[in-house]
Each structure stands twice: as structure tokens, then as C-alpha cells.
């Protein structure tokens, strides 16, 4: 498995597995055509679903793709659930996203992330 690894990290992992089987392994990994990242948006949004996103797309852009928040959404309970490299849950406030708070607007979504709006 090489999901979430850079090509250099994948090559290093392959070389360590080949060590002892091949003398001085020197594998190289190249990505020919990367898969478009997909993010799920669930909860209190107008059009929940799975969305292909540009590399490093922001939460606010993805929320807009999902039609924005519903009238029942809690503006301080927006979460990104990320499973790789470890399971983490990161909380955001809508006010920070639209208000330009740097750490919120600079957060970039990754393939497999789930945006949850409560």
C-alpha cells in the first residue's frame, strides 16, 4: 500500500521490502496519471455527496459545491474527518472560513477527507 505516500516514500518502502531479496535494491516510483481527489460532504448542507476536488481545495469552496449550509447547520460545528495517516477530526467555524482566518482558509482538503456539517 502506498496511499498517501509521495513517490519517493513509496520507492523507499519498496526498497526496504526488496532488501534481502535483491542485492542493493534501487526502485523508482513515478506517477503516470494521478487520480482526482474525492471528498465527501455530509450533514446540514443543501446537496450532500462526493465531489472531485482540485488538489489543495479549501473547505469553503467544497461547501459551496455542496450548495452551502442549510438553515439548520450549526456554524461552529463544521468538521473535517481525515483517516490518513491517522484518524483525526478537525473543527472549523463558518465565521473563520468566510472571515479569512488564516489557519482556517489555508487548510487544504485531501483525497478521502469527509466534511461533516452538524
Amino acid at each position: 500500500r502506498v496511499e498517501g505516500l509521495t513517490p519517493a516514500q513509496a520507492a523507499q518502502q519498496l526498497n526496504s521490502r526488496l532488501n534481502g531479496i535483491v542485492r542493493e535494491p534501487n526502485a523508482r516510483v513515478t506517477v503516470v496519471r494521478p487520480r482526482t481527489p474525492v471528498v465527501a460532504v455530509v450533514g446540514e448542507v443543501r446537496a450532500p455527496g462526493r465531489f472531485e476536488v482540485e488538489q489543495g481545495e479549501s473547505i469553503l469552496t467544497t461547501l459551496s459545491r455542496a450548495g452551502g449550509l442549510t438553515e439548520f447547520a450549526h456554524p461552529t460545528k463544521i468538521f473535517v474527518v481525515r483517516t490518513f495517516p491517522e484518524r483525526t477530526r478537525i473543527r472549523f467555524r463558518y465565521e473563520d472560513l468566510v472571515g479569512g482566518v488564516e489557519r482556517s482558509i489555508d487548510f487544504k482538503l485531501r483525497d478521502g477527507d469527509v466534511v461533516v456539517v452538524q
Side-chain angles (χ1 to χ4, degrees), residues 74-93:
H74 196 292
T76 64
K77 293 187 177 178
I78 300 169
F79 300 92
V80 172
V81 178
R82 181 168 284 168
T83 57
F84 188 84
E86 60 185 40
R87 181 175 291 272
T88 56
R89 183 174 165 226
I90 306 139
R91 185 177 190 161
F92 294 89
R93 298 184 324 167

Side-chain angles (χ1 to χ4, degrees), residues 20-90:
I21 300 169
V22 175
R23 188 177 351 172
E24 297 180 33
N26 188 17
R28 292 195 168 99
V29 175
T30 303
V31 178
V32 177
R33 191 176 76 201
R35 182 173 65 83
T36 304
V38 175
V39 172
V41 182
V42 298
E44 294 298 332
V45 291
R46 299 192 189 286
R50 293 172 48 90
F51 302 91
E52 289 186 351
V53 296
E54 297 296 320
Q55 191 68 34
E57 187 168 300
S58 73
I59 298 169
L60 193 57
T61 302
T62 303
L63 287 173
S64 71
R65 287 177 181 226
L69 307 181
T70 69
E71 60 272 15
F72 303 108
H74 196 292
T76 64
K77 293 187 177 178
I78 300 169
F79 300 92
V80 172
V81 178
R82 181 168 284 168
T83 57
F84 188 84
E86 60 185 40
R87 181 175 291 272
T88 56
R89 183 174 165 226
I90 306 139

